[in-house]
Amino acid sequence: MNIKILKFLLLVSLLTLILTACGGNNVSLEGTAWQLVDFAGKPLLLDYQPAMSFEDGRVGGNSSCNTYGGEYKVKGDNIEFGMLMSTMMACADNNAMKQEQEYLAFLSTIERWEMNNGQLFLFNPNGDALVFDLQD
């Protein structure tokens, strides 16, 4: 084979490898914990910020006033939450209770996820996102 053909094949192979590595989510959510920082563009109550963690195929966290948990499944950039259970304590702050109800309802619509610049994005079918920062 001539050198030009070998260089061309090597270049094509490298480009294929690079493009394959860039596509999809090659990162696992397993063993991570996150703090909500953006609720689809809505203001957050800072004293009642929801949190989320992923461990052993389960998701759970604080939804504002209560804790929640359930199963999750990831396939590529698709994510599905199973039925989420939650404690049922009343919030002292009515706005926190409203935020919590909206957060849990939003989680039931999530279909896609991605990580970008150290943040977790969970998208609903409309493209609205919950944005989380990684917790220490």
Side-chain angles (χ1 to χ4, degrees):
M1 266 189 172
N2 105 22
I3 295 287
K4 287 183 180 180
I5 292 174
L6 284 175
K7 286 182 180 179
F8 175 76
L9 291 175
L10 180 61
L11 179 62
V12 169
S13 297
L14 285 173
L15 286 174
T16 302
L17 180 63
I18 290 169
L19 292 174
T20 301
C22 292
N25 287 315
N26 297 323
V27 185
S28 174
L29 291 171
E30 195 63 27
T32 61
W34 305 88
Q35 185 79 43
L36 186 66
V37 294
D38 186 338
F39 188 160
K42 298 177 188 177
L44 280 172
L45 300 173
L46 295 181
D47 290 339
Y48 296 95
Q49 275 182 281
M52 175 179 285
S53 62
F54 298 88
E55 192 71 43
D56 297 326
R58 299 194 55 78
V59 63
N62 180 302
S63 51
S64 286
C65 301
N66 290 286
T67 57
Y68 67 95
E71 294 181 348
Y72 78 97
K73 294 179 185 171
V74 170
K75 185 172 185 181
D77 65 351
N78 294 319
I79 187 167
E80 179 184 339
F81 295 109
M83 181 180 283
L84 297 176
M85 304 295 198
S86 175
T87 57
M88 303 289 287
M89 295 174 22
C91 294
D93 183 328
N94 286 338
N95 290 325
M97 192 73 197
K98 183 178 183 224
Q99 175 177 280
E100 176 173 272
Q101 291 167 348
E102 291 175 357
Y103 174 75
L104 292 172
F106 197 100
L107 286 179
S108 70
T109 68
I110 298 298
E111 294 183 340
R112 188 172 64 82
W113 71 285
E114 69 180 51
M115 281 192 212
N116 192 355
N117 293 325
Q119 291 185 308
L120 172 63
F121 294 79
L122 299 177
F123 296 96
N124 70 9
N126 298 330
D128 300 320
L130 299 176
V131 182
F132 295 83
D133 280 346
L134 187 62
Q135 289 183 325
D136 296 328

